[in-house]
Amino acid sequence: MRELSLHILDIARNSVEAGARNVALTVVEDPERDRLEITLQDDGRGMDAETLARVTDPFYTTRTTRHVGLGLSLLKATCEQAGGVMELTSTPGKGTLVRCVMGLSNFDRPPLGDLAAVIQSLACETEHTELVYRHIVGDSEFRLDTMEVKRELEADCLCAPPILQWLGRHVREGLHDLGSRA
Amino acid sequence: MKSVQELRELRERTKAALAVRDREGGPRIVVCMGTCGIAAGARDVLRSLLEELERQGRDDVTITQTGCKGLCEREPMIEVLIPGSAPVTYGSVTPDVVKQIVDDHIIKGQVVSEYAIAIGSEGN
Ligand code: FES
């Protein structure tokens, strides 16, 4: 995938499909330490040790479990190419944490890409899954909590076109003000 | 804060739209968001879908997503469900195709047969 945001969407979709009620996405751009860190934490079904070992093995997953986990092995490869690592921790019944660290200025790091469209996509699921998205650049932070937006709108979910469009614009503006350059 | 003000305005608008939707069961569009769907461009399809619906003022459409449907070579795929008519699955959907589907199928009720890969019970 040519953008990190597509990887993010893919692993966040795993969370949704694993029955997560809460997903926390945090992106940290740290120019001082030349680091880009992306973490995704969910409270979904989680994976046991055996599955965990399997999902990052591209050969195993593509053959047997039809795409589930394929995205994680792709992401791992992307992180490693960009001079970084991907860590995966999971507890059955509790949830999963994916943490990626990459060199911010690494030449082989894909751009973050259209994160706003990713948030729009995830917001379609807010009937069942809430998202807290934090994006940090240096000392500034942009934060979006779908539960707060729902409360403000007095709506049960955000999957209506005008709301999704507002969210997209809100995130784009937020990231622009933040000076995100990843 | 500007965004809170915007949200309040949005609240009035969406309340009306959601009420119509709940009462009359508006159209529903399902975007396939499995790994290969995403790799093939499903996210950008969703984005252009939202832009197109906004342009046409169709606040009443529900957007949902689904995972892998096992038809990787036809990704990106979307399903259009209009109450009272057969559901239609579209394949190889690009942002341009989205425009056509919104104009012809959502607005005029005509299936875009060129991209339809299944009509009827399948899915949903
Ligand atoms: S995501 Fe695999 S076929 Fe659609």
Side-chain angles (χ1 to χ4, degrees):
Chain A
M1 302 203 201
R2 59 198 194 285
E3 290 178 11
L4 289 173
S5 61
L6 293 175
H7 284 287
I8 293 173
L9 176 56
D10 182 50
I11 56 172
R13 290 281 325 164
N14 290 348
S15 301
V16 169
E17 269 160 43
R21 306 211 56 97
N22 296 285
V23 172
L25 167 67
T26 309
V27 179
V28 183
E29 299 175 32
D30 185 348
E32 231 158 80
R33 290 156 74 202
D34 192 30
R35 261 162 59 113
L36 174 68
E37 187 176 328
I38 301 167
T39 53
L40 191 102
Q41 169 127 50
D42 74 39
D43 57 359
R45 194 172 310 125
M47 290 174 270
D48 57 25
E50 193 204 337
T51 315
L52 208 55
R54 233 167 45 199
V55 288
T56 50
D57 175 353
F59 299 104
Y60 191 95
T61 47
T62 48
R63 259 198 324 246
T64 52
T65 56
R66 203 178 70 163
H67 310 311
V68 178
L70 171 63
L72 278 164
S73 67
L74 291 175
L75 175 57
K76 186 168 182 246
T78 299
C79 292
E80 287 167 2
Q81 267 157 32
V85 285
M86 184 190 85
E87 288 165 14
L88 191 57
T89 3
S90 194
T91 318
K94 286 240 161 62
T96 301
L97 170 72
V98 184
R99 181 169 169 269
C100 302
V101 182
M102 275 162 275
L104 188 59
S105 64
N106 190 296
F107 189 75
D108 292 311
R109 180 182 64 77
L112 268 177
D114 194 353
L115 258 175
V118 169
I119 303 302
Q120 286 178 310
S121 171
L122 296 173
C124 294
E125 313 283 349
T126 42
E127 212 174 336
H128 310 286
T129 310
E130 303 290 352
L131 171 73
V132 176
Y133 164 47
R134 297 174 60 207
H135 198 122
I136 296 159
V137 178
D139 307 321
S140 328
E141 173 172 345
F142 171 81
R143 189 173 183 281
L144 177 88
D145 181 339
T146 56
M147 207 150 24
E148 282 169 13
V149 178
K150 275 161 72 171
R151 201 180 311 129
E152 203 59 54
L153 289 176
E154 297 169 15
D156 302 329
C157 75
L158 304 178
C159 70
I163 304 180
L164 296 168
Q165 282 298 76
W166 177 83
L167 276 172
R169 277 192 281 268
H170 181 60
V171 172
R172 274 181 199 109
E173 262 176 46
L175 295 186
H176 179 260
D177 292 349
L178 204 54
S180 167
R181 272 192 269 145
Chain B
M1 201 169 119
K2 171 167 140 269
S3 56
V4 173
Q5 185 53 40
E6 284 175 355
L7 274 174
R8 301 235 158 97
E9 285 162 26
L10 190 60
R11 179 164 66 199
E12 299 316 310
R13 179 168 161 204
T14 46
K15 266 201 179 142
L18 294 180
V20 174
R21 193 170 97 175
D22 291 344
R23 202 168 349 104
E24 286 155 24
R28 195 151 70 89
I29 302 177
V30 187
V31 183
C32 294
M33 277 290 172
T35 299
C36 26
I38 293 170
R43 180 202 56 182
D44 299 339
V45 163
L46 176 85
R47 181 178 169 172
S48 50
L49 196 51
L50 290 171
E51 283 165 1
E52 226 26 61
L53 291 170
E54 177 172 58
R55 207 172 57 83
Q56 301 279 4
R58 292 301 299 256
D59 294 358
D60 61 324
V61 178
T62 309
I63 309 280
T64 57
Q65 288 164 63
T66 179
C68 181
K69 289 223 156 192
L71 263 173
C72 310
E73 59 287 354
R74 304 308 297 274
E75 294 280 2
M77 298 197 296
I78 68 173
E79 238 185 304
V80 175
L81 303 126
I82 296 179
S85 13
V88 179
T89 306
Y90 290 103
S92 315
V93 178
T94 61
D96 281 336
V97 178
V98 162
K99 205 167 170 310
Q100 217 179 325
I101 293 172
V102 171
D103 284 353
D104 292 357
H105 196 166
I106 304 290
I107 310 280
K108 301 189 201 119
Q110 290 161 3
V111 175
V112 183
S113 41
E114 232 182 303
Y115 294 93
I117 52 179
I119 303 182
S121 57
E122 219 257 331
N124 187 42

